[in-house]
Amino acid sequence: MSDLQSSDPESPTHPELDVRQSSHPELEDYAGGLIQARVGFIPLWLLVVYVLLFAWGLYYMYVYWGGLGPGRLF
């Protein structure tokens, strides 16, 4: 631990982080520009898909969940 504290911050063991500027001000680059992320919104169609999947899950749980299992009577 003392070796790290006493080492020179300009040494090659401490690489500098290279922050890349993108063309879009809200766009952030990760992994050397291979992954790009931006602040945005969730499309309305995707929100509709989320709601439909949740409603289908509730329906399926209510109708098909439980019971004694296959081959059982009542």
Side-chain angles (χ1 to χ4, degrees):
M1 185 83 170
S2 62
D3 293 337
L4 292 175
Q5 291 175 349
S6 64
S7 65
D8 184 19
E10 299 296 324
S11 69
T13 58
H14 297 286
E16 294 184 20
L17 296 176
D18 184 24
V19 178
R20 301 178 68 192
Q21 295 293 330
S22 62
S23 60
H24 196 276
E26 295 178 2
L27 195 62
E28 298 176 6
D29 291 338
Y30 298 98
L34 294 175
I35 301 172
Q36 295 181 340
R38 68 177 174 91
V39 177
F41 63 94
I42 299 175
L44 183 60
W45 65 268
L46 188 56
L47 291 175
V48 170
V49 169
Y50 287 160
V51 169
L52 289 176
L53 282 174
F54 183 74
W56 174 80
L58 290 177
Y59 167 78
Y60 188 87
M61 185 176 65
Y62 178 75
V63 172
Y64 297 106
W65 197 277
L68 297 176
R72 306 283 184 157
L73 298 174
F74 303 106

